[in-house]
C-alpha cells in the first residue's frame, strides 16, 4: 500500500474518530483495509444512478459530488465529498445506487470492497457503530441542505455551503475555516444551491464587494469576515454532529 493510500485511510479514520472512540486494534483494522486506486477526470461519473456496486469510494484527493439526475439531463448536487470521505459507505447496505457520484475536479479515489467493510463491521461492533454514525452524518447534512433549499434565499445558501465546507475542511486537515480548498466552478455551485449560473455570479460578486469572502490561490476560498458569513448563512454547526 502506498503512502498516499495509507494517508487516505488515515484521514477516513480521523473522520470516524471525530464521533466514535475506537481501540488500537479497531483503528488498525480500518487502516489495513484493502483498497484499489483509480483516477477520475473532471466531470466524469464515478457511479451512475442505477448501477450495482461492490465497493465504496474513498476520496484521496479532489472533490466528488453526489447528484440526482433529472429527466432532461440536469443535475442537482446533493452532497460534496472531500479527501477522507468514504462517500458512499451506505452502498454497503444498498448496493444498487439510487444516486450518482461525479468527479467535480480531477480526483483520486480508492475502491474499498464491500466484503472488507462487512467483515470488519462483523468482527468489531464498535466499527459497525462508527460506520453507522458516519452515514447518519451524511443524512444530517442532506437534511440541512433540504432545509436551506426550501427556506433560504440564494445568498444564504451559498454562505452556508462556504461555512459547512470551511468546518469540514478544517476538521479533515485540508485547511482552516478561513482558508480552505473549494474548487467548484460557478455552474457546479449553481447545481449545489439550485440557482442559475448568472445568479451565482451576482452572489459571489456581492460577497466579495462587501469584503466577506475573497478568492485565494489554487482554488482556495479565503474568508475575511467569518462572523458576518455565519450570520448571513444562519449557520449552526450542530448538524455536522461533531
Amino acid at each position: 500500500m502506498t503512502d498516499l493510500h495509507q494517508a487516505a485511510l488515515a484521514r477516513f479514520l480521523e473522520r470516524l474518530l471525530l464521533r466514535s472512540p475506537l481501540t488500537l486494534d479497531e483503528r488498525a483494522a480500518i487502516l489495513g483495509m484493502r483498497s484499489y486506486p483509480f483516477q477520475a477526470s473532471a466531470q466524469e461519473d464515478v457511479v451512475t444512478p442505477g448501477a450495482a456496486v461492490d465497493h465504496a469510494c474513498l476520496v484521496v484527493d479532489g472533490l466528488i459530488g453526489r447528484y440526482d439526475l433529472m429527466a432532461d439531463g440536469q443535475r442537482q448536487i446533493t452532497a460534496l465529498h472531500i479527501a477522507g470521505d468514504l462517500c458512499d459507505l451506505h452502498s454497503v447496505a444498498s448496493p444498487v445506487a439510487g444516486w450518482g457520484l461525479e468527479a467535480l475536479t480531477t480526483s483520486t479515489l480508492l475502491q474499498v470492497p464491500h466484503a472488507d467493510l462487512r467483515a470488519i463491521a462483523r468482527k468489531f461492533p464498535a466499527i459497525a457503530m462508527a460506520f453507522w454514525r458516519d452515514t447518519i452524518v451524511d443524512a444530517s447534512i442532506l437534511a440541512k441542505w433540504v432545509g436551506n433549499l426550501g427556506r433560504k434565499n440564494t445568498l444564504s445558501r451559498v454562505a452556508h455551503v462556504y461555512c459547512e465546507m470551511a468546518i469540514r475542511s478544517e476538521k479533515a486537515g485540508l485547511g482552516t475555516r478561513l482558508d480552505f480548498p473549494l474548487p467548484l466552478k460557478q455552474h457546479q455551485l449553481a447545481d449545489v444551491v439550485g440557482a442559475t449560473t448568472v445568479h451565482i455570479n451576482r452572489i459571489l460578486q456581492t460577497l466579495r464587494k462587501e469584503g466577506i469572502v475573497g478568492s485565494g490561490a489554487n482554488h482556495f476560498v479565503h474568508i475575511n469576515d467569518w462572523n458576518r458569513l455565519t450570520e448571513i448563512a444562519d449557520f449552526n454547526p450542530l448538524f455536522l454532529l461533531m
Side-chain angles (χ1 to χ4, degrees), residues 7-25:
L9 288 169
R11 190 165 269 142
F12 172 58
L13 174 59
E14 289 301 317
R15 171 179 163 124
L16 295 179
L17 291 173
L18 288 172
R19 304 167 182 93
S20 302
L22 296 172
T23 67
L24 292 179
D25 285 346

Side-chain angles (χ1 to χ4, degrees), residues 217-229:
N218 298 322
H219 301 292
F220 268 63
V221 173
H222 181 71
I223 307 300
N224 298 317
D225 191 338
W226 175 257
N227 290 336
R228 178 63 179 139
L229 186 69

Side-chain angles (χ1 to χ4, degrees), residues 12-221:
F12 172 58
L13 174 59
E14 289 301 317
R15 171 179 163 124
L16 295 179
L17 291 173
L18 288 172
R19 304 167 182 93
S20 302
L22 296 172
T23 67
L24 292 179
D25 285 346
E26 290 160 350
R27 298 180 190 196
I30 291 169
L31 294 176
M33 290 190 302
R34 293 181 301 162
S35 58
Y36 305 96
F38 71 100
Q39 293 285 133
S41 302
Q43 300 184 323
E44 178 183 348
D45 278 354
V46 176
V47 174
T48 56
V53 294
D54 60 2
H55 60 269
C57 298
L58 175 60
V59 185
V60 178
D61 58 48
L63 184 66
I64 303 296
R66 192 183 308 151
Y67 68 87
D68 186 26
L69 184 63
M70 308 298 138
D72 62 1
Q74 294 189 83
R75 297 184 177 196
Q76 174 67 46
I77 295 175
T78 60
L80 294 172
H81 293 289
I82 59 177
D85 288 359
L86 195 56
C87 49
D88 54 347
L89 179 56
H90 52 275
S91 68
V92 175
S94 181
V96 178
W99 65 92
L101 292 176
E102 177 188 1
L104 301 177
T105 67
T106 299
S107 302
T108 305
L109 302 101
L110 299 180
Q111 294 179 338
V112 183
H114 285 171
D116 286 28
L117 293 164
R118 292 191 187 101
I120 65 170
R122 283 194 297 266
K123 184 175 181 180
F124 299 102
I127 290 180
M129 289 298 296
F131 287 171
W132 195 353
R133 289 191 190 98
D134 199 65
T135 60
I136 290 169
V137 172
D138 284 345
S140 181
I141 292 173
L142 177 59
K144 177 59 68 175
W145 280 34
V146 170
N148 288 345
L149 283 169
R151 296 297 179 182
K152 290 182 180 178
N153 61 37
T154 308
L155 177 60
S156 294
R157 293 178 213 163
V158 171
H160 202 281
V161 169
Y162 279 171
C163 290
E164 175 193 322
M165 299 309 293
I167 297 296
R168 288 174 57 193
S169 296
E170 183 175 74
K171 293 296 185 181
L174 301 174
T176 71
R177 68 183 62 190
L178 300 181
D179 214 14
F180 60 94
L182 189 62
L184 281 175
K185 298 183 183 301
Q186 289 189 12
H187 76 273
Q188 293 169 332
L189 183 54
D191 287 343
V192 168
V193 301
T196 66
T197 304
V198 171
H199 194 32
I200 289 298
N201 183 268
R202 294 195 193 103
I203 293 296
L204 296 179
Q205 287 185 36
T206 297
L207 290 171
R208 291 167 185 154
K209 183 178 179 180
E210 295 186 8
I212 299 168
V213 172
S215 295
N218 298 322
H219 301 292
F220 268 63
V221 173

